Amino acid sequence: VQLQASGGGLVQAGGSLRLSCAASGRAFNSYAIGWFRQAPGKEREFVAATRWSGGSTIYADSVKGRFTISRDNAKNTVFLQMNSLKPEDTAVYYCAAERGLILGYWRDSSQYDYWGQGTQVTVSS
């Protein structure tokens, strides 16, 4: 399983970015896909997660209502649409995947075996 995250950049507060996570290597229908972020000097934190085959989606309280996770199964790509960005959203964003991970563990980064390389998001005030 290979994941490649892209779409980061520099944006002003209130702006938007869309991150992409392109997956390759196998069929992903049973996989959970998560987005995490890590700011300098802080621990990696959960942002959002969904199941590749559809169904439930969950978000961290800090991004709920501003971020939306979606999928394009034909392109094996998961997106994270980020609106109303704030300076505190500045971080390196990672996508991660894990086969058969149940919803109760989606927020736990240690449960994911496969990670993308990360993409930097910087929000200026």
Side-chain angles (χ1 to χ4, degrees), residues 32 37 44 59 64 67 79 90 92 103 118:
R37 66 187 182 186
R44 189 169 297 186
Y59 298 92
K64 199 173 296 183
F67 290 12
F79 303 100
T90 295
V92 177
L103 190 150

Side-chain angles (χ1 to χ4, degrees), residues 12-103:
Q12 289 187 334
S16 298
L17 283 173
R18 189 176 79 157
L19 305 184
S20 300
C21 178
S24 62
R26 61 183 63 193
F28 292 94
N29 286 343
S30 64
Y31 279 71
I33 304 295
W35 284 99
F36 294 81
R37 66 187 182 186
Q38 188 166 18
K42 295 187 177 181
E43 293 187 353
R44 189 169 297 186
E45 66 172 355
F46 170 77
V47 176
T50 189
R51 191 174 304 285
W52 195 276
S53 59
S56 299
T57 300
I58 60 172
Y59 298 92
D61 288 344
S62 59
V63 307
K64 199 173 296 183
R66 300 188 297 122
F67 290 12
T68 303
I69 194 170
S70 62
R71 306 170 326 276
D72 184 337
N73 290 355
K75 295 183 179 180
N76 268 8
T77 302
V78 174
F79 303 100
L80 184 68
Q81 178 66 44
M82 306 186 297
N83 299 328
S84 301
L85 283 162
K86 305 175 181 179
E88 51 263 44
D89 294 318
T90 295
V92 177
Y93 283 70
Y94 299 89
C95 59
E98 182 60 33
R99 181 180 179 184
L101 189 64
I102 62 174
L103 190 150

